[in-house]
Amino acid sequence: PKYLFSPCYCNSSFPVCYRALIFPFLIRQGKPTPFLTFVLAFLFCIYNGYLQGRSLSAYARYPADWLKGPYFITGFLGWLIGMAINIHSDHILRNLRKPGETGYKIPRGGMFEYVSGANFFGEIVEWFGFALACCTIQSLAFALCTLFILGSRAKQHHQ
């Protein structure tokens, strides 16, 4: 059979670039991040990006009609919807306070009308969509790690 080489590779590039390179520059002011936390998060993103890219470019093989199949289409749509929720939720959070304003505010609008951690929810949906589109153990492992890490953060934020 004919094989298509790594159709999911480009799906993993934009979210990683958004979170690591674009998002930090969009944040106005916030609590300072400890340097060690920054370095560890940066190294994690690089290592995970390498593992995802390596698994997709060197090991994953797909049938020629994979891009037309239900797993890829459903996964791609889940990834796209999750990323849109994530980016929109980040926009709402960035604009909660006016410059110089402090204090706790409850976000309104978008998916925040349905879940208290809409940004976390969007990222979880995004990575499970990616895992479904790619159907690799590495993408599933990352989606599960995202669920456990962001799920616990969402619970803390909700409380």
Side-chain angles (χ1 to χ4, degrees):
K2 296 179 181 177
Y3 287 95
L4 183 64
F5 191 73
S6 305
C8 299
Y9 188 72
C10 66
N11 286 3
S12 67
S13 301
F14 180 75
V16 172
C17 289
Y18 169 76
R19 182 58 64 202
L21 302 174
I22 299 169
F23 178 75
F25 291 106
L26 295 175
I27 298 172
R28 289 184 188 162
Q29 284 184 356
K31 299 175 188 172
T33 302
F35 184 71
L36 181 60
T37 302
F38 165 77
V39 170
L40 291 175
F42 185 75
L43 290 174
F44 173 80
C45 285
I46 288 174
Y47 187 65
N48 179 58
Y50 168 76
L51 288 177
Q52 296 299 326
R54 179 82 174 145
S55 74
L56 291 171
S57 63
Y59 303 109
R61 298 288 184 260
Y62 300 97
D65 63 346
W66 181 257
L67 297 177
K68 297 175 185 173
Y71 290 118
F72 182 81
I73 292 171
T74 305
F76 180 77
L77 289 174
W79 171 80
L80 198 60
I81 290 167
M83 185 171 58
I85 291 169
N86 189 12
I87 291 172
H88 184 252
S89 300
D90 284 345
H91 173 76
I92 290 171
L93 289 172
R94 279 193 314 272
N95 293 297
L96 271 179
R97 294 182 200 90
K98 294 177 180 148
E101 196 175 35
T102 61
Y104 182 78
K105 293 207 174 191
I106 296 175
R108 299 280 183 219
M111 284 300 293
F112 284 108
E113 298 299 319
Y114 305 100
V115 293
S116 58
N119 53 327
F120 300 129
F121 173 75
E123 194 155 345
I124 290 166
V125 169
E126 182 179 346
W127 290 112
F128 271 94
F130 175 76
L132 184 59
C134 297
C135 286
T136 64
I137 194 73
Q138 294 84 354
S139 60
L140 177 61
F142 183 65
L144 289 171
C145 286
T146 301
L147 173 66
F148 296 137
I149 292 167
L150 295 185
S152 67
R153 287 186 64 199
K155 183 179 176 186
Q156 289 172 340
H157 281 251
H158 181 76
Q159 291 172 339

